[in-house]
Amino acid sequence: MNKAGQIVRIDPAAAIPGGEIKIECAGLDTSEPSQCAVWCDGEVAPLVALSSRRVLAIAPELRKNRNSGWGASGAGEIVGTGDLGTTVEVRLESQGERSEPASFVAGRRIAEDLHPVTNPAFDPDDGSLFVTRSGSRGEQLPVSLFRIDVNGELSEFSGDITNPTGIAFDKEGQMFVTSRLDGNVYRVTPFKEAVPFARNLGVATGIAFDSQGQIYVGDRTGTIYKLDEFGEETSWAQLEPSVSAYHLACGSDDDLYVTGPTVTSFDSIIRIDRDGNASVFYRGLGRPQGLAFDAEGNLYVAATLRGRRGIVRILPDGQQAEVFVAGMNLVGLAFSASGEMVVVSNDSVYSLPIGIHGTLLT
């Protein structure tokens, strides 16, 4: 009998480099642990835990996912090729024998040396992705907003906004960006000019639009604001303050869903109805951050679930959740029109071609 046994399942079925994957197996001989290994497309994956029925391993950065093809562009470096991701062949090894392969989808790093603090955003007009290099509080960077086009080319877009945080597009394709430094919401013109749209909203972080074009902005000190078409604000809902940011997304029901990490490891996603009434949608996440809906009403959030980190998928009824993408230090995500999921860590952008389409409400 093959000492490497058989791979039964890999959970989750997608990961970015550094994410922890669980390999459920049968018949793996672990009598010589030093001679056991996990191979991912020819790369050895670091082991976290090992038993005859389960192996925990760290998804490695694969050679074919490293720098090649796109070059670099100063601060905010493109790394990768035109492929948007890859299926990785996984084999177990024990005492020189290897198992039959199984696979998972590996995210490709498409940009690094950035500093996202919440979701990136896709421009609905041309499909390009906008992401921040937010910097530490008060840090003025020469370029704080970057654009990645559909061919993967990164370009410097604007340095007008200090500490840019949340990004969202309205139905007309206008881009709005919050600043957690000055508490303003900026409308960014096609000429790359950042024009103040609303001012003095505390520590302005998350921003979202509902299906009617209503703008919501989260002040992490405890207030959700509604803005009218002229940028006039109304204090709409009060929540527990967050230690970092409020992250916002509107569901197909036009309720607003909010995360705001606190000092606890058992945080909630809050749902706020059209009348401003708040209730718990899901409880039990560690440090939940950026969130987004798919077209089926599933909610995805960058968080920790039962000690496992990555992108968590929560079903529409709010009763079931699972880690959908394994990854470390993730702060947000977005879906492209072609079904690509983009996830961002606190310094890099990754793409995974998983065929899930999001809503255009956030």
Side-chain angles (χ1 to χ4, degrees):
M1 181 177 178
N2 190 334
K3 293 180 180 297
Q6 177 185 4
I7 296 175
V8 177
R9 187 170 76 105
I10 298 177
D11 177 39
I16 66 168
E20 183 182 276
I21 57 174
K22 178 172 67 174
I23 305 170
E24 297 178 3
C25 54
L28 174 63
D29 186 341
T30 59
S31 60
E32 298 288 344
S34 64
Q35 296 184 42
C36 294
V38 173
W39 291 88
C40 296
D41 277 355
E43 300 274 348
V44 176
L47 295 180
V48 177
L50 178 69
S51 75
S52 61
R53 299 177 61 184
R54 186 180 70 172
V55 178
L56 298 181
I58 302 300
E61 181 104 41
L62 303 176
R63 287 194 182 97
K64 65 184 181 182
N65 276 5
R66 293 175 184 159
N67 301 25
S68 60
W70 275 345
S73 181
E77 184 180 2
I78 282 291
V79 293
T81 70
D83 192 2
L84 292 178
T86 185
T87 298
V88 174
E89 184 179 272
V90 179
R91 294 176 186 266
L92 298 176
E93 179 177 331
S94 178
Q95 301 179 46
E97 298 181 358
R98 294 190 183 183
S99 69
E100 290 299 311
S103 63
F104 70 93
V105 175
R108 181 183 299 281
R109 192 195 311 260
I110 60 173
E112 61 183 3
D113 194 25
L114 298 166
H115 184 212
V117 291
T118 185
N119 289 354
F122 281 99
D123 185 335
D125 289 339
D126 62 11
S128 58
L129 181 73
F130 284 85
V131 63
T132 66
R133 192 165 188 255
S134 190
S136 58
R137 185 168 176 80
E139 183 181 7
Q140 295 188 344
L141 298 168
V143 181
S144 57
L145 195 61
F146 291 83
R147 176 180 181 270
I148 304 174
D149 69 18
V150 293
N151 297 314
E153 182 178 348
L154 180 142
S155 59
E156 300 174 348
F157 191 79
S158 174
D160 291 348
I161 304 171
T162 303
N163 296 148
T165 306
I167 308 172
F169 287 85
D170 67 10
K171 286 185 173 182
E172 285 70 44
Q174 295 185 104
M175 181 165 61
F176 292 79
V177 181
T178 63
S179 167
R180 70 182 193 278
L181 177 68
D182 57 26
N184 292 349
V185 176
Y186 293 89
R187 181 174 57 84
V188 182
T189 73
F191 304 103
K192 304 182 181 181
E193 297 172 334
V195 179
F197 176 76
R199 300 176 183 270
N200 302 319
L201 301 182
V203 185
T205 50
I207 181 170
F209 288 86
D210 67 16
S211 64
Q212 305 303 311
Q214 176 68 62
I215 309 174
Y216 300 90
V217 176
D219 165 15
R220 77 176 191 193
T221 63
T223 303
I224 304 295
Y225 291 101
K226 291 174 70 171
L227 305 181
D228 65 19
E229 64 270 28
F230 304 108
E232 296 296 326
E233 81 279 2
T234 301
S235 179
W236 182 59
Q238 300 295 316
L239 301 176
E240 181 181 357
S242 170
V243 297
S244 59
Y246 284 152
H247 307 265
L248 313 182
C250 285
S252 58
D253 53 7
D254 268 348
D255 286 351
L256 183 70
Y257 294 74
V258 184
T259 64
T262 65
V263 294
T264 180
S265 60
F266 205 70
D267 281 325
S268 300
I269 297 175
I270 302 298
R271 177 170 56 196
I272 307 175
D273 66 20
R274 298 302 297 272
D275 297 321
N277 300 311
S279 61
V280 173
F281 173 70
Y282 185 85
R283 178 181 283 118
L285 299 174
R287 202 169 178 82
Q289 301 195 71
L291 64 168
F293 284 91
D294 69 16
E296 304 300 320
N298 299 302
L299 179 59
Y300 299 77
V301 55
T304 299
L305 177 67
R306 295 187 286 273
R308 306 185 70 194
R309 301 179 183 181
I311 300 297
V312 176
R313 178 169 64 180
I314 303 172
L315 298 187
D317 61 5
Q319 299 300 307
Q320 298 182 56
E322 63 177 351
V323 176
F324 187 76
V325 177
M328 296 289 289
N329 302 318
L330 301 185
V331 298
L333 72 151
F335 295 103
S336 75
S338 62
E340 171 193 2
M341 176 190 280
V342 167
V343 300
V344 294
S345 70
N346 51 20
D347 64 359
S348 298
V349 182
Y350 301 86
S351 64
L352 298 105
I354 54 177
I356 294 178
H357 292 83
T359 67
L360 295 178
L361 301 180
T362 59

